[in-house]
């Protein structure tokens, strides 16, 4: 099969390409990226003889359609503003596509995808992505789910922590900052609770969780819990749910006053030529890079509580992905790139064939998916307790 990777030279793209080349049945990978030094960036990471490099020129839409027309599936890892162009090209060429971006930005394209008979898998990375497949697997273990707490975040290993942030960049730092301007929706006592972005780092829902072998991590709201819970039939009586980002303690205390002072504003500052958020990204990003011998850690926990057979039950799923120092691939890169690669191959083989805008929670076969992750050294541990 032939798989095209759009944005293949980014951190996640490099992980996806390395995984595709290592996968049986993938004869060729088409790497699409504006960077002209693809061979140098991937050299030593994978077999370059199975990769064709494409450097787009001119309007991106026609280029994408030409590139993916004869591909069996395509992975979209382009910047979020270009997702629509990628999806439109996939619809026009009837090429199945996987994107790690949120589906709501292209919800209006659902009828066109269905009419074209093409599968567009959205939100298929780490978070959202792996967590959503865990939602589906956990749901089958309950008759009724009453609470879902979902945690995920990237942090430096303890020896790589650098104050005052105790944070280093394992993905696009500008996107890290942008995510701090995202409103959140939780469920508390069965009611919808909105946490506006301006209060993300100053609200009563900030708390800490204990992670075995690592210690305490800070959790703060960062996502729409109601949206995903609504996809689960067994969660109609949900009383509590939240989606939280994880960082080393002190993250919210650092950002709360800066946010209040406007340092994460998107508005351009006269004379600066950038918004405060863009300025912070350019200033802080270079100072927060990992050393060659330092690991990032992706930590995920999902806790589901409810009932089955008249008894109270809790299912806790834990996952940790660390940087591979041999390849240099970050845990975050593997956590995003590998799921996209696995699902792209499922689409190419016709194992997922439903047309339209799809979501991992409803459309990815969890057994095969987690078996494939385990083959790549990424394993989810699950504990079950009964009251």
């Amino acid at each position: 099969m032939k798989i095209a990777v759009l944005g293949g030279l980014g951190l996640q793209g490099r992980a996806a390409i390395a995984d595709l080349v290592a996968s049986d049945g993938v004869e060729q990978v088409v790497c699409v990226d504006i960077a002209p030094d693809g061979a140098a960036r991937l050299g030593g990471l994978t077999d370059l003889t199975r990769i064709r490099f494409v450097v787009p020129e001119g309007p991106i839409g026609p280029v994408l359609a030409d590139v993916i027309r004869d591909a069996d599936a395509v992975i979209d890892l382009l910047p979020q503003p270009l997702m629509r162009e990628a999806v439109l090209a996939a619809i026009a060429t009837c090429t199945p596509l996987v994107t790690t971006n949120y589906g709501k930005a292209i919800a209006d394209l659902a009828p066109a995808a269905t009419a074209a008979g093409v599968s567009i898998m959205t939100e298929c990375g780490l978070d959202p992505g792996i967590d959503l497949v865990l939602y589906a697997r956990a749901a089958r273990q309950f008759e009724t789910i009453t609470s879902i707490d979902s945690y995920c975040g990237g942090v430096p290993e303890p020896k790589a922590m650098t104050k005052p942030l105790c944070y280093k960049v394992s993905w696009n730092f500008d996107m890290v900052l942008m995510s701090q301007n995202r409103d959140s929706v939780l469920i508390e006592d069965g009611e919808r609770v909105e946490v506006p972005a301006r209060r993300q780092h100053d609200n009563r829902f900030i708390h800490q969780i204990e992670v075995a072998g690592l210690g305490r991590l800070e959790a703060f709201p960062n996502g729409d819990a109601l949206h995903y819970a609504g996809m689960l039939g067994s969660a109609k009586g949900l009383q509590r749910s939240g989606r939280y980002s994880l960082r080393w303690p002190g993250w919210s205390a650092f950002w709360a006053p800066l946010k209040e002072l406007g340092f994460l504003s998107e508005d351009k500052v006269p004379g600066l030529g950038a918004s405060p958020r863009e300025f912070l990204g350019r200033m802080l990003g270079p100072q927060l890079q990992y050393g060659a011998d330092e690991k990032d850690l992706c930590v995920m926990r999902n806790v589901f509580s409810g009932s089955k057979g008249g008894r109270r039950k809790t299912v806790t799923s834990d996952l940790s992905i660390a940087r591979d120092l041999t390849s240099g691939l970050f845990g975050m890169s593997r956590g995003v790139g590998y799921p996209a690669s696995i699902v792209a191959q499922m689409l190419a083989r016709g194992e997922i064939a439903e047309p339209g805008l799809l979501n991992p929670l409803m459309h990815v076969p969890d057994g095969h998916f987690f078996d494939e992750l385990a083959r790549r050294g990424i394993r989810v541990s699950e504990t079950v307790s009964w009251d």
Side-chain angles (χ1 to χ4, degrees):
M1 71 186 84
K2 179 191 292 187
I3 310 290
V5 182
L6 312 181
L9 298 179
L11 292 172
Q12 286 75 32
R14 294 171 69 247
I17 287 177
D19 187 73
L20 289 167
V21 172
S23 299
D24 294 337
V26 179
E27 291 86 19
Q28 186 182 63
V29 178
V30 182
C31 173
V32 184
D33 202 290
I34 59 172
D37 57 344
R41 294 196 187 200
L42 292 176
L45 179 63
T46 189
D47 180 6
L48 298 181
T49 64
R50 295 171 58 194
I51 303 173
R52 180 166 71 91
F53 295 96
V54 175
V55 181
E57 295 181 2
I60 192 70
V63 173
L64 293 181
D66 289 342
V67 168
I68 70 175
R69 194 176 304 278
D70 62 343
D72 297 295
V74 57
I75 298 174
D76 166 39
L77 294 170
L78 294 169
Q80 195 276 336
L82 295 177
M83 174 177 62
R84 176 171 291 269
E85 295 284 359
V87 172
L88 286 172
I91 293 173
T93 59
C94 295
T95 308
L97 178 141
V98 176
T99 181
T100 59
N101 286 313
Y102 288 97
K104 63 182 180 181
I106 54 166
D108 60 301
L109 298 181
T114 301
V118 62
S119 303
I120 307 294
M121 183 69 71
T122 64
E123 306 181 11
C124 190
L126 174 70
D127 170 18
I130 294 177
D131 57 337
L132 301 182
V133 188
L134 284 169
Y135 272 44
R137 185 169 76 173
R140 293 198 299 274
Q141 302 181 53
F142 294 89
E143 292 167 356
T144 302
I145 297 177
T146 54
S147 72
I148 303 173
D149 292 312
S150 183
Y151 303 91
C152 188
V155 297
E157 63 177 337
K159 76 170 188 177
M161 290 169 57
T162 303
K163 293 187 176 182
L165 271 181
C166 297
Y167 182 82
K168 291 188 176 178
V169 180
S170 57
W171 60 303
N172 186 308
F173 188 56
D174 195 51
M175 293 296 293
V176 174
L177 297 179
M178 287 178 65
S179 73
Q180 299 193 113
N181 285 332
R182 179 189 302 151
D183 296 335
S184 300
V185 178
L186 300 89
I187 302 172
E188 185 79 358
D189 296 326
E191 300 294 329
R192 174 191 177 99
V193 177
E194 296 186 4
V195 180
R198 69 179 184 277
R199 301 298 307 275
Q200 183 188 40
H201 300 297
D202 178 21
N203 65 82
R204 64 185 176 90
F205 298 104
I206 295 171
H207 59 284
Q208 294 186 1
I209 65 170
E210 183 76 27
V211 178
L214 194 58
R216 299 187 72 81
L217 293 177
E218 178 181 298
F220 58 93
N222 194 15
D224 187 345
L226 186 59
H227 172 69
Y228 296 112
M231 299 181 186
L232 297 172
S234 56
K236 298 305 182 185
L238 201 64
Q239 294 299 299
R240 190 189 75 249
S241 186
R243 291 177 67 81
Y244 304 93
S245 287
L246 294 174
R247 297 287 188 267
W248 286 111
W251 178 266
S252 292
F254 180 93
W255 286 108
L258 290 183
K259 182 174 284 188
E260 187 173 350
L261 291 169
F263 277 87
L264 290 176
S265 170
E266 308 280 354
D267 298 328
K268 300 288 184 181
V269 177
L272 183 62
S275 68
R277 177 187 59 75
E278 291 169 333
F279 170 74
L280 278 181
R282 296 171 192 174
M283 183 178 71
L284 297 181
Q287 302 179 56
L288 301 175
Q289 299 301 307
Y290 281 89
D293 62 342
E294 294 178 335
K295 294 182 180 180
D296 74 311
L297 303 173
C298 283
V299 180
M300 177 181 287
R301 172 173 294 170
N302 288 275
V303 185
F304 307 88
S305 295
S307 62
K308 185 172 183 179
R311 296 179 61 190
R312 293 286 303 166
K313 178 181 181 181
T314 297
V315 176
T316 302
S317 299
D318 281 295
L319 171 68
S320 181
I321 312 172
R323 186 184 190 183
D324 176 12
L325 294 181
T326 301
S327 67
L329 292 175
F330 288 113
M332 183 70 70
S333 302
R334 298 166 65 211
V336 175
Y338 288 4
S341 168
I342 291 167
V343 173
Q345 293 177 62
M346 290 180 178
L347 289 168
R349 289 191 294 263
E351 296 171 15
I352 302 172
E354 183 173 337
L357 294 191
L358 311 183
N359 187 280
L361 192 153
M362 297 182 291
H363 300 103
V364 170
D366 62 285
H368 185 189
F369 178 78
F370 287 117
D371 285 347
E372 288 297 314
L373 279 181
R375 286 202 315 109
R376 293 155 170 83
I378 299 176
R379 294 177 174 83
V380 177
S381 65
E382 186 175 276
T383 59
V384 179
S385 61
W386 297 84
D387 295 337

